[in-house]
Amino acid sequence: MVPITSQAQCKGFAKKVCRLELDPYIHDGNYHAAILTEGEEAELYKTFYSDQEYRIAVCGSDNLPEIEFTIMDATKKVIYTNSDNNYSRVWDFKLESSQQLKIVIKVPPNPDTSEEPMSGCVSIMFGLKLK
Amino acid sequence: MKSKFFQYLHIGLIATLAAFVGLSACSSGGGDKNEAEEPELVIDMSELDQKMFEDIGEVKKIFYTMPSPLETAMMIKSAGAEYNEEFLNPVENAANYSTNMSMALNLGIYTCDLSFVSLYDQTEASVNYMNASKKMADGLGILDAINDETIDKLEENVNNRDVIMEIISDTFMNSSSYLQENDRSSVASIVLVGGWMEGLYLATQMVYTDSIMTSKLVKRIADQKLSMDIVIRLLNETKDNEDIQSILADIDNLKETFDKIKITTTSPIQASVDKDSKVTTLSSKTQSTLTPEIFNELKEKVQAIRNKYIS
């Protein structure tokens, strides 16, 4: 297994692997991906609109442990975390009122500190339900 | 519930213990019990949203995400807008754009128009707007984001809206990922602003004067206030770029009017999961005030900025 270490490989991973997780939702077309190392975090801020059904997909390349993602509202209240849901890669939701939400993505640290931490691609994608 | 909600908020944040009174253009959300008996806890959403950014941690990467042109077009359609081609940027204008800034803005604008016409099954217009988008992407040196194969695939699937939406999403992702990979994040941000501005323009133009206080489209327009901070933060990431500075000035001008729109919430988000579909519904109660005067001011500003971008 060759670890993903370049942005170009990350794009391929996002397109060929993570994007498929959105099905049957339509990918919104935005691209968010980064090379993260075990123990690192990323954050994403986005406004989600009412009357729209969304799917979020958060995927990490095979050499990384399961990626944790948490959704918080503007008061920092945790709305959802996939760590309570078997580290599911996707979450489907809709809103009664439009809201700005924060998504925190964590690559858990390797408990074995003698090993070199692994790096890989983490991609975050949003799907929309076509009405 | 209300006292628990208060715990989430920092002291000093606006917490007006008063019944919500005002010119309310729109309201949404669930829960309407006890309103007559108890005063509402009214929270200004913009102050709440600012709070969200206060504890940005030491993280490897921060993404500020604007609605894509596809999402923008879908919002307009779902708000009940009727199809009207006269507001779109004519494809003939594509020949006029030669600078990086004008091509980037109009890649976003044409992608929004392309999404819009495709959502209304306007097959010929879809092909024309894909070609106009291709011209912009080619001009920006975005290799193979939209190629002849893309156009052929679009023509072969003119009656299959799902496939067309996938093609649009695919081409937009190709463009934005190419720009980001090649250290052209400022151009990627300008494309997004172009698409977002076009969506605002189409939405404001499609509201009838006599329906400002009731139109669902107006609610969608008011909601864009919630994206203003994200737009500004995204642009600030590459603010050394002269094109970005020019766009930031337009956005700041627009923000002055958006700041006049008041969006308040009187309840925290409650999540409930549908057992069958597994879809979570986030319920909350918000109200936005957008008077006809503010709407008209916003419409004029958006029109001026958008017309500058397509000229």
Side-chain angles (χ1 to χ4, degrees):
Chain A
M1 180 170 50
V2 180
I4 294 173
T5 53
S6 77
Q7 289 299 333
Q9 289 172 307
C10 211
K11 176 186 168 184
F13 169 78
K15 199 170 172 179
K16 292 190 179 83
V17 179
C18 202
R19 199 164 184 249
L20 301 181
E21 299 279 355
L22 294 176
D23 188 54
Y25 290 69
I26 304 282
H27 176 219
D28 69 357
N30 276 338
Y31 173 74
H32 319 97
I35 305 286
L36 296 181
T37 301
E38 286 173 314
E40 286 184 332
E41 291 184 20
E43 291 177 354
L44 185 146
Y45 296 84
K46 175 173 167 63
T47 301
F48 296 89
Y49 297 95
S50 56
D51 293 333
Q52 179 62 62
E53 275 188 47
Y54 293 93
R55 169 171 288 185
I56 175 172
V58 179
C59 319
S61 50
D62 287 345
N63 61 318
L64 293 177
E66 288 181 301
I67 309 298
E68 181 181 331
F69 71 94
T70 303
I71 317 281
M72 295 181 202
D73 71 6
T75 68
K76 297 164 198 159
K77 175 188 172 188
V78 173
I79 304 289
Y80 172 85
T81 176
N82 72 335
S83 61
D84 291 341
N85 293 275
N86 298 318
Y87 291 92
S88 170
R89 284 181 155 195
V90 299
W91 183 54
D92 298 342
F93 64 105
K94 59 185 178 181
L95 304 94
E96 287 187 354
S97 304
S98 301
Q99 300 280 345
Q100 195 181 95
L101 299 176
K102 173 180 176 177
I103 298 151
V104 179
I105 300 105
K106 289 182 189 171
V107 184
N110 186 342
D112 185 350
T113 51
S114 65
E115 284 183 18
E116 188 74 19
M118 297 291 281
S119 295
C121 180
V122 177
S123 172
I124 307 115
M125 297 185 126
F126 298 99
L128 307 162
K129 186 155 259 187
L130 198 57
K131 291 177 183 171
Chain B
M1 179 58 70
K2 283 171 184 170
S3 60
K4 192 175 177 188
F5 184 30
F6 198 75
Q7 289 170 10
Y8 299 130
L9 307 172
H10 293 246
I11 295 168
L13 193 65
I14 290 181
T16 310
L17 284 164
F20 184 83
V21 180
L23 282 171
S24 295
C26 326
S27 65
S28 65
D32 56 358
K33 55 194 172 187
N34 298 334
E35 281 180 11
E37 298 155 23
E38 290 181 56
E40 294 273 21
L41 179 63
V42 181
I43 310 296
D44 187 324
M45 288 285 282
S46 26
E47 301 214 7
L48 210 51
D49 285 344
Q50 277 297 325
K51 280 285 184 195
M52 184 180 266
F53 295 113
E54 278 182 5
D55 66 340
I56 287 180
E58 290 293 315
V59 295
K60 177 74 182 293
K61 175 80 183 169
I62 297 171
F63 299 97
Y64 297 110
T65 304
M66 287 179 65
S68 70
L70 181 58
E71 183 178 3
T72 299
M74 284 174 77
M75 273 191 279
I76 295 170
K77 191 184 180 214
S78 69
E82 292 169 12
Y83 182 75
N84 191 337
E85 210 169 312
E86 73 175 276
F87 298 124
L88 308 180
N89 184 17
V91 291
E92 294 76 21
N93 282 353
N96 303 338
Y97 309 126
S98 56
T99 63
N100 270 344
M101 182 171 165
S102 64
M103 287 187 287
L105 282 169
N106 283 284
L107 176 56
I109 288 170
Y110 280 138
T111 306
C112 182
D113 290 347
L114 164 65
S115 307
F116 183 75
V117 299
S118 301
L119 285 169
Y120 289 85
D121 302 321
Q122 302 297 311
T123 54
E124 192 183 338
S126 297
V127 174
N128 291 340
Y129 277 97
M130 182 61 89
N131 274 311
S133 302
K134 179 180 185 317
K135 196 170 172 58
M136 298 301 99
D138 288 350
L140 287 165
I142 302 170
L143 303 176
D144 276 340
I146 307 171
N147 52 32
D148 293 337
E149 219 173 278
T150 315
I151 307 284
D152 291 344
K153 194 175 172 190
L154 190 76
E155 286 175 334
E156 285 162 15
N157 290 281
V158 284
N159 295 317
N160 190 335
R161 196 192 298 164
D162 281 1
V163 174
I164 290 180
M165 290 299 128
E166 270 178 30
I167 296 169
I168 297 169
S169 141
D170 203 31
T171 56
F172 193 72
M173 179 176 164
N174 286 343
S175 299
S176 53
S177 58
Y178 180 90
L179 291 168
Q180 286 174 40
E181 270 171 23
N182 289 278
D183 293 326
R184 295 170 72 189
S185 297
S186 57
V187 179
S189 302
I190 294 171
V191 174
L192 281 169
V193 171
W196 182 69
M197 196 63 72
E198 181 71 349
L200 261 180
Y201 172 75
L202 296 179
T204 49
Q205 293 297 316
M206 288 173 178
V207 173
Y208 296 114
T209 314
D210 57 358
S211 66
I212 293 173
M213 299 301 282
T214 55
S215 168
K216 203 173 169 186
L217 212 43
V218 173
K219 168 73 180 145
R220 277 295 148 276
I221 294 162
D223 283 347
Q224 299 310 308
K225 176 187 165 97
L226 300 171
S227 281
M228 285 304 286
D229 287 329
I230 289 174
V231 176
I232 291 167
R233 282 171 185 272
L234 176 72
L235 292 172
N236 271 326
E237 287 186 324
T238 51
K239 65 182 175 190
D240 291 341
N241 180 294
E242 279 183 19
D243 293 339
I244 292 287
Q245 287 164 17
S246 160
I247 289 170
L248 264 171
D250 294 333
I251 297 296
D252 285 342
N253 178 22
L254 207 54
K255 187 176 185 298
E256 283 176 18
T257 305
F258 268 115
D259 282 346
K260 294 177 185 174
I261 302 170
K262 198 165 182 72
I263 302 180
T264 53
T265 181
T266 50
S267 68
I269 294 176
Q270 297 293 324
S272 58
V273 186
D274 184 284
K275 282 180 186 168
D276 297 325
S277 67
K278 308 290 182 205
V279 174
T280 301
T281 299
L282 303 180
S283 307
S284 61
K285 193 173 158 191
T286 65
Q287 284 197 279
S288 49
T289 53
L290 204 175
T291 62
E293 292 73 25
I294 298 171
F295 174 81
N296 288 328
E297 182 182 315
L298 190 66
K299 183 179 175 180
E300 277 177 28
K301 282 190 180 181
V302 169
Q303 185 167 9
I305 294 169
R306 187 270 193 175
N307 286 347
K308 181 173 75 173
Y309 290 172
I310 68 160
S311 65

